[in-house]
Amino acid sequence: MTRVRVTAPRSVNAGAARAGTVNAGSIPPDSTALAGGRSAAAAREAAEESDAGQLFIRSLIRSQLRLGLVVALGFLLILLAFPLLLGLVPGLAESTIAGLPFDWVLLGAGIYPVIGLSAWLYVRTAARNEARYRDLAGEQ
């Protein structure tokens, strides 16, 4: 049995695309065909190879990177605010809730909603960025 390393999805052979045929296994049979025998995947690849397509892809990558950095920085700022809150408010670190120290309750139970909210905002905004890319690139 031979080991095979898959590094990228198969693409349409340029000569076969011009002739209206594709390599077996390169594009799923349920793809919608476009005019001239080209599939939706082949049209997307051609759009990505153009100057405008490259610009759209770079813009998407930059917006996703910016989003990731903003969410991570916001999360870190909130996480760092907890010790500041405990240090600046007198007596807060010594108080207890149901026999547990307040700082443990704050970090143990208070951080999970922040993590969930950060994740939800990230996924929602990343999906919006990708939808904008698809609109700009003309994909359906």
Side-chain angles (χ1 to χ4, degrees):
M1 186 167 178
T2 306
R3 294 184 70 154
V4 177
R5 180 182 294 188
V6 178
T7 57
R10 292 185 184 178
S11 63
V12 175
N13 185 349
R18 275 181 259 142
T21 61
V22 293
N23 293 336
S26 62
I27 297 196
D30 59 336
S31 301
T32 58
L34 299 175
R38 291 179 55 194
S39 67
R44 184 178 329 117
E45 286 179 11
E48 289 173 357
E49 291 174 4
S50 69
D51 290 337
Q54 291 294 323
L55 178 69
F56 293 152
I57 290 172
R58 283 193 305 268
S59 175
L60 174 65
I61 290 170
R62 277 194 311 268
S63 66
Q64 297 293 52
L65 176 62
R66 187 173 40 249
L67 172 63
L69 291 174
V70 165
V71 170
L73 183 63
F75 177 74
L76 286 175
L77 287 175
I78 291 172
L79 190 62
L80 292 175
F82 285 160
L84 288 175
L85 177 71
L86 292 173
L88 294 176
V89 177
L92 192 59
E94 289 82 27
S95 62
T96 61
I97 296 176
L100 296 172
F102 179 74
D103 52 352
W104 282 39
V105 172
L106 183 65
L107 289 175
I111 198 67
Y112 289 107
V114 173
I115 292 171
L117 180 65
S118 297
W120 177 75
L121 286 173
Y122 177 81
V123 169
R124 191 181 108 190
T125 309
R128 186 181 321 141
N129 286 344
E130 291 172 5
R132 287 180 185 158
Y133 165 74
R134 283 191 303 272
D135 288 344
L136 286 173
E139 295 180 14
Q140 296 298 327

